[in-house]
Amino acid sequence: DGIGDVCDPFPITPFPTGVPVITMTGSSVTWTQVPGASQYHLYRGDLATLMRGGAYTQDPVTIAGARRFCWLSATQVDDDYSPAAGEAIFYLATSDDGLTEGSLGMNSRGEERPNQNPCR
């Protein structure tokens, strides 16, 4: 758009190839298909935990709002989880070609998001 991203309040940044784009409607979480993907993994995380320690994929055993939806053939999940008042959750999705799980995408610094608690 002609404005350097450092100075631009609304930089145009294309979505990386192979990283699903997530949308939500009510309790339905939907993401875009990725060419070559035979399945997907969806991760729900607790935003406060992410902000404290940077864990994008969180352990559902120790973090109440965290959950992994693994080995999905569809690009949609119904998730009726509601965080407590004042809390927030987020979702990240990855593609999988049957051999390798794809990227969680890049953070705001342009660094690859680590997957500390992947589907296995």
Side-chain angles (χ1 to χ4, degrees):
D1 63 356
I3 301 173
D5 287 348
V6 173
C7 303
D8 190 348
F10 305 103
I12 296 173
T13 306
F15 290 106
T17 304
V19 177
V21 178
I22 298 173
T23 57
M24 290 191 64
T25 305
S27 64
S28 179
V29 183
T30 306
W31 55 95
T32 56
Q33 290 184 326
V34 172
S38 58
Q39 51 211 345
Y40 298 90
H41 309 291
L42 180 68
Y43 300 94
R44 181 181 69 213
D46 174 71
L47 186 59
T49 300
L50 172 63
M51 294 179 73
R52 276 193 308 273
Y56 291 98
T57 56
Q58 301 162 2
D59 184 353
V61 174
T62 59
I63 307 297
R67 181 162 178 200
R68 292 182 292 235
F69 301 86
C70 301
W71 312 110
L72 304 167
S73 57
T75 58
Q76 185 271 329
V77 165
D78 288 324
D79 184 17
D80 61 0
Y81 178 82
S82 294
E87 295 180 356
I89 57 173
F90 64 93
Y91 293 91
L92 293 170
T94 61
S95 60
D96 194 304
D97 65 5
L99 298 173
T100 305
E101 183 171 359
S103 173
L104 290 167
M106 305 294 190
N107 66 20
S108 60
R109 293 183 301 270
E111 302 163 339
E112 178 111 13
R113 292 181 181 125
N115 192 342
Q116 293 129 318
N117 291 283
C119 290
R120 296 183 198 246

